[in-house]
Amino acid sequence: MKAIWKPKIAIPTILPAIIALTLPSIAIADDPGTCFMVTSSGRTINLGKLCGVTAPNSGFFRVPIKRRSGKTPVIDVTFNGSQVFEMILDTGASGSLITQEMSRSLNIKPSGTINASIADGSEVKFKTGVVSSIAVSGAVVNNVEVAIAPKADIGLLGHDFFENYDVKILEKQIEFNRR
């Protein structure tokens, strides 16, 4: 009588293990975003939902509203990679406007002028200057010409920053969704 060999491990059971051993592995970086913590064991935990911020590289992100000025949201905006200023998100402004104080702090040299129509319909002439970058929650626009308002108390963040995003203003956050 012939002996029949019966494996103790079925082929379908070891086949995935063989495939897993022969396929190259792919490393995927895990960006914690702007709001995270590192545990005592070195594990990084994303706190984006808790902070109300999501990663901008996904094309969608949220920014917390700090307060409102005349019912219009005020958010933190980073200039030139390091200086943070509160600005009004102005969905009716085609360009961004900074205050004289912001201009001094950023060391902006006026390089031109612009005539602008303001909310009441009148025409105003502003000096202009260029900032290296404007950023909100990781989304960045580089080399932006901004108007410098001599009498403004707070800057306005306009379409020159968010023109490629659909903007949704919620109660406590603003959503930016890349088109």
Side-chain angles (χ1 to χ4, degrees), residues 28-75:
I28 299 172
D30 214 9
D31 181 6
T34 57
C35 183
F36 63 94
M37 68 177 255
V38 179
T39 66
S40 59
S41 64
R43 191 169 142 236
T44 301
I45 299 173
N46 185 331
L47 300 174
K49 285 185 181 179
L50 180 66
C51 296
V53 178
T54 55
N57 56 0
S58 68
F60 171 85
F61 61 100
R62 288 185 178 146
V63 179
I65 296 172
K66 290 186 74 175
R67 61 186 175 84
R68 292 185 185 259
S69 175
K71 299 186 181 182
T72 307
V74 175
I75 61 174

Side-chain angles (χ1 to χ4, degrees), residues 68-111:
R68 292 185 185 259
S69 175
K71 299 186 181 182
T72 307
V74 175
I75 61 174
D76 279 336
V77 179
T78 304
F79 284 81
N80 300 338
S82 61
Q83 291 185 282
V84 178
F85 299 96
E86 287 187 347
M87 292 186 76
I88 294 173
L89 179 77
D90 190 344
T91 58
S94 58
S96 294
L97 177 138
I98 63 172
T99 66
Q100 191 69 42
E101 183 180 318
M102 291 168 69
S103 176
R104 276 193 293 275
S105 180
L106 294 165
N107 199 27
I108 295 174
K109 305 291 183 232
S111 56

Side-chain angles (χ1 to χ4, degrees), residues 63-68 73 168-174:
V63 179
I65 296 172
K66 290 186 74 175
R67 61 186 175 84
R68 292 185 185 259
K168 187 175 183 180
I169 301 172
L170 305 172
E171 181 183 358
K172 295 181 180 181
Q173 301 170 330
I174 298 171

